[in-house]
Amino acid sequence: MKKLAPEEIDFSDKLATEFYSRPTRLVARDLLGKVLIRCVNNEFLGGMIVETEAYLGEADAASHAARGITPRNRVMYGPPGTAYIYFIYGMYNCLNFVTEPEGHPAAVLIRALEPLFGIQMMQKLRAVASVRQLTSGPGKLCQALAINRTLNNEDLTGENLFVVHGAKISPKQIEKSARLGIKVATEFHWRYYIKDNPHVSGKPVKK
DNA sequence: ACGCTGATGAAG
DNA sequence: TTCATCAGCGTT
């Protein structure tokens, strides 16, 4: 597989809101290969999305929306193409993209990126040197991109946090599994990742 | 395998 | 107000 080069990426080629306003599992698959960009102090940080998970709505027992609307999950009920960010385990943030038409509380968890932009600054924010450790997990990538709850409900077609077109990923390159870190609804294989990509989470660190 | 850490939401 | 739980990470 040809590796996506930073100079090929057009920061003005953002995914439209209509992209997110579709069935969540489709959005989760189609996000693989797209490029997430965070702009902080006029510097761009980010990389190619290599791992996602779909959370489908009130009928999905693993979703934050499984028990209806609360102060935390209200962004999931809003318009698609916005960021739903929550604080977890006392120290980490997780980034989701809201999907489906307004009123349907679904989202895609962004689980891992292949770093492309601002690697030096991401190493500083994460306090690790290993590029493989920078964004290979939902908590890690939020730390690397300086993403926290102040960006909750942020419009993904805006300037602070946005997604642009990147690599074309063929269906053959996409693997599926059960979603990680949950104890319910494990029969649903709604985690998607790029086969053999070293930046996917949950892998032993190799030299 | 476990401790870190604090918001969240359900129960009382 | 208390309490168990938690879409994770790093170290053991």
Side-chain angles (χ1 to χ4, degrees):
Chain A
M1 192 214 332
K2 193 168 77 73
K3 201 175 161 182
L4 184 63
E7 56 272 18
E8 301 175 57
I9 295 159
D10 178 0
F11 281 17
S12 66
D13 191 17
K14 293 174 185 170
L15 304 192
T17 303
E18 291 72 41
F19 174 91
Y20 303 96
S21 182
R22 296 184 299 148
T24 304
R25 283 171 289 179
L26 202 57
V27 175
R29 280 199 298 270
D30 288 350
L31 278 170
L32 297 176
K34 302 296 190 290
V35 176
L36 173 67
I37 301 293
R38 165 92 169 108
C39 184
V40 40
N41 300 332
N42 294 318
E43 187 170 347
F44 293 105
L45 313 176
M48 184 178 77
I49 297 169
V50 299
E51 181 181 356
T52 61
E53 282 176 2
Y55 287 86
L56 263 52
E58 293 183 344
D60 177 1
S63 169
H64 283 181
R67 267 159 292 193
I69 192 166
T70 66
R72 178 176 65 165
N73 68 21
R74 65 173 181 82
V75 171
M76 293 179 80
Y77 288 77
T82 57
Y84 167 49
I85 299 162
Y86 60 88
F87 189 69
I88 191 69
Y89 294 120
M91 38 177 94
Y92 302 106
N93 293 286
C94 287
L95 170 67
N96 299 254
F97 297 162
V98 175
T99 59
E100 314 249 4
E102 183 164 359
H104 184 123
V108 173
L109 172 66
I110 307 304
R111 284 199 60 92
L113 306 176
E114 177 173 317
L116 292 173
F117 300 99
I119 289 175
Q120 224 177 357
M121 188 167 169
M122 292 197 286
Q123 286 168 322
K124 225 174 194 172
L125 285 160
R126 282 270 298 134
V128 295
S130 162
V131 174
R132 188 159 308 183
Q133 287 296 334
L134 281 185
T135 54
S136 54
K140 295 180 196 178
L141 74 89
C142 283
Q143 202 174 25
L145 303 200
I147 291 169
N148 58 48
R149 282 169 296 170
T150 63
L151 289 168
N152 193 29
N153 207 23
E154 188 81 9
D155 182 349
L156 294 171
T157 62
E159 300 301 316
N160 295 318
L161 185 67
F162 56 91
V163 185
V164 298
H165 291 89
K168 170 76 183 166
I169 305 297
S170 75
K172 283 172 64 177
Q173 295 171 260
I174 300 177
E175 299 262 296
K176 289 188 217 184
S177 83
R179 294 169 291 182
L180 304 183
I182 56 169
K183 296 188 176 83
V184 296
T186 50
E187 68 271 33
F188 301 118
H189 291 189
W190 295 340
R191 169 178 177 242
Y192 306 92
Y193 57 98
I194 297 179
K195 189 181 176 182
D196 296 326
N197 187 287
H199 301 278
V200 169
S201 74
K203 297 196 159 184
V205 184
K206 278 186 276 182
K207 295 190 190 133

